[in-house]
Amino acid sequence: MNGAIRKHITVAGTVQGVGFRPFVYRLAQEFGLDGWVKNTADDVTIEVQGLPVHVEQFLSKLQAHPPNNASVSTMRTSKIEPRAEQGFAIVASGSTGNGSTALVPDLAICDQCIADVYSPSSRYYQYAFTSCTDCGPRYSISLASPFDRKHSAMSEFELCVDCAIAYENPHDRRFHAQLMCCSSCGPELQLCDSDGAELTRGKSIVKKAANLLRDGGLLALKGLGGFQLICDATNSKAVARLRALKQRPAKPMAVMLAGEKELSDLCPTSAVQRALFLSPQAPIVVIDQSILSLAREVAPGLRSVGIMRATTALHHLLLKAFNGPVVVTSANRSGEPIITDDELAFSTLAGNVDCFLTHNRHIHHALDDSVSRIALGRPLLLRRARGYAPKAISINHSASIALGVGGHHKNTVALANQGLIELSAYLGDLDSLESVRRFRANVDELLDDGADSRWAELAVVHDWHPDYESTEVAISALAKDGTALPLQHHIAHICAVMADNRIEPPCFGVAWDGNGYGAAFPGDPALWGGEMFSLAEPGGCQRRVSLLGFPLAGGAQAIREPRRVALGLLTVGGEELRHHHSAALYCQRSFSNEELLLIQTMLNNKFNSPMSCSIGRLFDGIASLIGLCNKQEFEAQAASDLERQALDYLEAKNSETPDSEQAAYALVFRRCERLEIENTEHPLFRPAWLLDWRPLLKGVLDDLSAGKERAYIAYHFHYALARSIVDAAKMTQHTRVVLSGGCFQNVCLLELCVSLLEQQGFDVFWPRQLPANDGALSVGQAYAAQFEGLCGGPYYSRSELGLKCV
């Protein structure tokens, strides 16, 4: 072609497993271009040839309008010599590169595939594994990049003639769909009895499973990321039986519905909630209301429930056959990851479930369901897993390759490299050997199977806590000539939100949670959780504010029993608060005489009563004092109850609270004066101010005596906390405020903070793509390594790390 030019193009981002190559093919056809497109281990590579105007139009549309679920992070072009070539082709994938292309998240079944499943004239009619380029499993069945059939669990299934024709047809929706299959050539369902012995195969399986649920039975189903336990969500006995099996007496369980109509029939929702429910990510969406048509046991005593849509064709077929909502929860041993292997499921659950609905497609990556709620008109992730992981996030500042190994709870691992942070799926708590094995496997996967050559170029960032399993990875890095960098827990929280919002220091960071290891010097509470930092430029930080400490009688037992926290608060509060009329009534109501004597003796003698400066524990104590929760059956139950009361107060007011009421409680800033101690050269070790909660506690006790409603007290407690952040930020020169830590999963607190801060002219940042809790610590660790002065703490040398962390 006279006047033709040829360009070589590399495209990085979410560009594999999302129909990007078929999109490029059709785009080239639209502009009459010759050339080819292929996947590589690092990106998608394209060469196009044609008239300059057509090539430029192709490039413009390529970057501006990628297909559904795809995103372009970088696109590089170079001009090369034209060659004799006619037509455009999708060519075989290349294996060159270091595998830096992130694997694609699993995507819930799309509307077109749902239509295929229910169309008698379709080849996919009632087929449980129907998918296309826009939906279906990706990460859960992937073995390596680039994302191709041969690198996935689908490599075991050879395409039949009809599927092969559709695969090669540019006009077919499944053109080059790597998961392409039908009932003639794809995976097959299998129904097994309670001991794992096969009962039957074929299309009748789903109806038999639905009948079992209708009769009150428990079903173990092999889903996208692992086995799930399923029962009728309207059957109290079935839900109670499932709770007994899971050893989960009170924690709310998620409900699955077939689709939008079923959601509308079940409960009213906002447009944002519906959009999230129907999204390709299809997380569990927390709806803040009671749903009377569900069994009370689904969320006992709570006015919220998590709802999700059917994520696969199999789930859709089951729910349509059952014709009602079902409870869905992960199948796993207590404290261990979700089960993905059939034999392990059979041996673990034998005799405890009535049937297994499984299949012969392997799961290579375990995935829990993601969880989200709505705050400030947009999704707020509580757990980042199926549908979101392992999608990378982009960062502006990328100075070094860094591995963040997360914390102990809600663990994830993350790798910062070349302007991206790759983040694993939610791995859970590292309490079992299997959890630790899965954690280490994810580290190896990020580091190209753990090759020693990768360790030598790494900075491995870990938590201060000396006993975390994740710290062992830092020790491994030292043995392989890598670098280990300690980072305080709450600075990691702040850095995670900074990375999420693509901002850099300077800023004012707030990190409020249940606890994170501190103990920077003698007399400092070991358990931090009420921290505010000034992050400077170009590096370094200062602990500006910390909550006044209080004892936790019994340590971890106080976390399970908020009444112990309340007693610790009263003990520190002094004579006036300890002998307050409301305090005396509280103690009589909450403790037997023997319990009160024992716990008070522990507090008085400072026996097994570590000091905490945690806002999360302050929530627990106040919730107990006003009669909401003395003993927790699940994490953050007391705080959730307190938040629910505050939201009820706002709903009843139906408008902003008058200024005269907003000042009901106050937290007071007091200068932190400490004796000269060793190791105070690091400014992090010396908070400038202590946030004194004792005036707030007195206000709560006074209002209890005056007969104020719990909802009133709960709301004004939230307001006082939000007001303290505004006051602290105003004491600095910062204009940007970062809100981080698990406490900001609380919608009432988050929305109050953002509103009050923005009214004062601050730019406010909170989690967008990541959870506020420990599930984002690894991202914060990897991001902190990009700046000087943020990492550091109790362990600096190789010998100290080896001695103190083993």
Side-chain angles (χ1 to χ4, degrees):
M1 181 187 298
N2 291 333
I5 63 169
R6 189 177 185 92
K7 287 203 172 182
H8 180 88
I9 308 154
T10 57
V11 185
T14 305
V15 290
Q16 294 189 12
V18 289
F20 196 80
R21 287 177 299 169
F23 165 74
V24 171
Y25 178 95
R26 295 185 182 108
L27 202 58
Q29 294 285 335
E30 178 184 341
F31 293 109
L33 302 177
D34 303 319
W36 51 263
V37 59
K38 70 176 181 180
N39 282 341
T40 73
D42 291 338
D43 49 41
V44 168
T45 302
I46 308 164
E47 287 192 7
V48 290
Q49 181 171 305
L51 293 175
V53 64
H54 293 156
V55 171
E56 291 306 316
Q57 288 172 335
F58 169 89
L59 292 173
S60 176
K61 197 167 183 179
L62 181 67
Q63 188 158 26
H65 303 287
N68 293 337
N69 306 311
S71 61
V72 175
S73 58
T74 62
M75 187 171 80
R76 296 182 175 87
T77 64
S78 59
K79 197 170 181 180
I80 58 177
E81 285 297 316
R83 65 187 63 167
E85 187 173 33
Q86 286 190 341
F88 194 90
I90 298 177
V91 300
S93 297
S95 58
T96 57
N98 59 19
S100 62
T101 292
L103 296 171
V104 181
D106 291 39
L107 302 170
I109 186 170
C110 68
D111 290 342
Q112 289 175 292
C113 282
I114 292 172
D116 286 342
V117 169
Y118 294 113
S119 173
S121 62
S122 170
R123 290 199 305 114
Y124 311 99
Y125 180 56
Q126 294 189 347
Y127 184 53
F129 302 91
T130 301
S131 66
C132 68
T133 55
D134 288 335
C135 69
R138 300 291 195 271
Y139 176 65
S140 64
I141 64 169
S142 296
L143 285 166
S145 59
F147 180 77
D148 279 326
R149 191 182 189 92
K150 65 183 179 181
H151 295 146
S152 77
M154 291 303 294
S155 63
E156 301 175 23
F157 304 95
E158 186 175 349
L159 292 176
C160 65
V161 173
D162 288 336
C163 284
I165 291 171
Y167 182 87
E168 296 292 346
N169 182 2
H171 305 292
D172 194 291
R173 189 162 51 85
R174 295 180 174 86
F175 177 49
H176 272 263
Q178 298 304 306
L179 309 181
M180 180 78 187
C181 63
C182 69
S183 58
S184 298
C185 62
E188 186 179 13
L189 290 176
Q190 180 183 18
L191 190 68
C192 300
D193 66 16
S194 61
D195 292 319
E198 183 176 342
L199 293 173
T200 185
R201 296 180 183 233
K203 291 186 177 180
S204 65
I205 282 180
V206 174
K207 288 185 178 179
K208 290 180 179 179
N211 288 335
L212 179 142
L213 294 176
R214 200 171 288 113
D215 292 339
L218 293 187
L219 176 69
L221 180 145
K222 189 176 183 180
L224 277 177
F227 277 86
Q228 300 167 315
L229 299 174
I230 299 179
C231 73
D232 180 356
T234 65
N235 187 319
S236 293
K237 289 184 178 179
V239 180
R241 182 183 165 198
L242 179 54
R243 285 196 172 279
L245 175 58
K246 287 282 290 185
Q247 299 179 357
R248 185 191 291 180
K251 186 177 180 180
M253 290 184 162
V255 172
M256 179 179 280
L257 307 173
E260 186 173 16
K261 179 185 180 301
E262 289 76 11
L263 177 65
S264 298
D265 292 343
L266 187 72
C267 63
T269 53
S270 69
V272 181
Q273 288 171 330
R274 283 194 303 277
L276 186 57
F277 172 84
L278 294 170
S279 69
Q281 291 74 32
I284 296 169
V285 183
V286 178
I287 308 291
D288 291 320
Q289 58 183 282
S290 299
I291 301 176
L292 298 179
S293 60
L294 299 176
R296 179 189 175 278
E297 289 77 8
V298 170
L302 296 177
R303 288 184 53 197
S304 64
V305 63
I307 297 175
M308 64 191 294
R309 75 173 173 104
T311 52
T312 68
L314 173 58
H315 288 102
H316 241 282
L317 290 165
L318 178 65
L319 283 164
K320 284 293 186 181
F322 176 65
N323 194 29
V326 296
V327 169
V328 177
T329 187
S330 60
N332 58 291
R333 296 181 178 127
S334 179
E336 294 200 352
I338 186 171
I339 297 171
T340 60
D341 177 73
D342 285 33
E343 293 305 318
L344 181 59
F346 296 153
S347 63
T348 303
L349 301 172
N352 292 307
V353 298
D354 298 303
C355 266
F356 292 88
L357 182 51
T358 184
H359 53 78
N360 58 340
R361 186 180 69 198
H362 294 298
I363 298 171
H364 295 305
H365 292 101
L367 281 173
D368 291 273
D369 293 315
S370 295
V371 183
S372 185
R373 65 189 306 193
I374 303 300
L376 295 155
R378 71 186 193 204
L380 181 70
L381 274 177
L382 309 183
R383 181 200 294 160
R384 187 181 187 269
R386 179 191 48 75
Y388 297 93
K391 186 176 181 179
I393 67 169
S394 298
I395 55 175
N396 290 333
H397 192 91
S398 184
S400 61
I401 303 174
L403 175 72
V405 293
H408 185 78
H409 301 290
K410 302 177 181 66
N411 182 266
T412 57
V413 293
L415 181 69
N417 189 19
Q418 297 180 347
L420 293 173
I421 296 182
E422 297 177 58
L423 175 63
S424 75
Y426 165 88
L427 301 176
D429 299 345
L430 302 184
D431 288 329
S432 68
L433 290 176
E434 180 57 27
S435 297
V436 173
R437 186 205 63 77
R438 186 179 166 200
F439 158 73
R440 289 184 175 273
N442 273 263
V443 170
D444 286 345
E445 184 174 285
L446 279 178
L447 299 182
D448 191 21
D449 295 326
D452 285 358
S453 59
R454 293 299 304 274
W455 289 98
E457 61 189 26
L458 278 177
V460 182
V461 189
H462 62 92
D463 196 271
W464 271 14
H465 199 293
D467 297 322
Y468 280 177
E469 287 286 344
S470 53
T471 304
E472 290 292 333
V473 172
I475 297 173
S476 300
L478 291 172
K480 298 173 182 177
D481 296 323
T483 302
L485 297 175
L487 180 68
Q488 204 280 323
H489 186 96
H490 298 94
I491 300 175
H493 270 309
I494 295 166
C495 288
V497 178
M498 291 168 60
D500 197 355
N501 287 272
R502 302 184 71 168
I503 66 170
E504 303 174 13
C507 64
F508 183 66
V510 181
W512 285 359
D513 64 2
N515 68 75
Y517 188 75
F521 50 79
D524 194 28
L527 304 174
W528 293 6
E531 315 309 317
M532 303 186 203
F533 293 89
S534 175
L535 276 72
E537 186 179 27
C541 62
Q542 182 183 8
R543 189 182 176 198
R544 293 286 300 170
V545 181
S546 186
L547 192 69
L548 176 69
F550 49 89
L552 302 179
Q557 190 63 28
I559 298 173
R560 294 185 285 270
E561 295 184 26
R563 61 180 187 159
R564 291 172 177 251
V565 181
L567 201 57
L569 293 171
L570 292 172
T571 300
V572 174
E575 291 295 319
E576 180 184 6
L577 297 187
R578 279 203 302 273
H579 296 102
H580 195 287
H581 176 66
S582 293
L585 289 176
Y586 167 77
C587 290
Q588 291 173 12
R589 182 180 71 241
S590 303
F591 302 93
S592 67
N593 290 335
E594 292 78 8
E595 287 175 327
L596 186 61
L597 177 62
L598 174 64
I599 297 172
Q600 194 63 65
T601 299
M602 291 174 65
L603 291 168
N604 292 342
N605 293 321
K606 301 180 180 178
F607 175 75
N608 191 22
S609 299
M611 294 295 286
S612 169
C613 53
S614 161
I615 293 290
R617 299 286 79 83
L618 184 62
F619 264 90
D620 291 350
I622 297 298
S624 180
L625 277 171
I626 67 174
L628 290 176
C629 181
N630 278 337
K631 295 182 180 181
Q632 299 195 102
E633 298 288 350
F634 57 89
E635 182 187 10
Q637 181 181 1
S640 297
D641 290 346
L642 199 61
E643 178 197 17
R644 181 68 263 167
Q645 290 287 324
L647 291 172
D648 286 349
Y649 177 81
L650 280 177
E651 186 177 325
K653 296 292 289 187
N654 200 28
S655 63
E656 290 193 8
T657 309
D659 289 343
S660 60
E661 292 189 12
Q662 288 179 347
Y665 307 139
L667 291 102
V668 177
F669 291 86
R670 303 194 188 282
R671 274 284 182 188
C672 180
E673 297 180 2
R674 297 191 181 277
L675 298 174
E676 288 297 319
I677 54 176
E678 295 181 3
N679 251 349
T680 58
E681 71 277 2
H682 198 302
L684 172 67
F685 292 179
R686 294 170 291 158
W689 300 89
L690 287 179
L691 191 58
D692 191 344
W693 42 263
R694 288 174 295 189
L696 179 148
L697 184 60
K698 183 179 185 305
V700 169
L701 294 173
D702 289 344
D703 280 346
L704 285 171
S705 294
K708 291 281 189 181
E709 293 182 353
R710 292 186 296 190
Y712 172 93
I713 295 173
Y715 171 77
H716 288 91
F717 169 72
H718 282 76
Y719 185 89
L721 291 177
R723 185 74 247 176
S724 73
I725 292 177
V726 177
D727 293 341
K730 289 167 70 174
M731 291 192 295
T732 72
Q733 300 299 313
H734 295 293
T735 60
R736 300 187 298 179
V737 178
V738 172
L739 304 175
S740 71
C743 289
F744 290 103
Q745 295 177 147
N746 180 317
V747 170
C748 182
L749 178 64
L750 177 61
E751 292 186 344
L752 277 171
C753 287
V754 172
S755 175
L756 293 176
L757 286 163
E758 288 183 343
Q759 287 174 25
Q760 295 297 317
F762 290 100
D763 293 324
V764 191
F765 302 90
W766 64 96
R768 294 174 179 265
Q769 307 169 81
L770 304 174
N773 57 41
D774 285 8
L777 280 178
S778 61
V779 171
Q781 291 166 343
Y783 193 57
Q786 310 305 313
F787 305 96
E788 293 184 10
L790 294 184
C791 296
Y795 314 120
Y796 288 99
S797 71
R798 183 170 181 158
S799 60
E800 284 180 309
L801 184 66
L803 289 171
K804 295 192 176 184
C805 294
V806 171

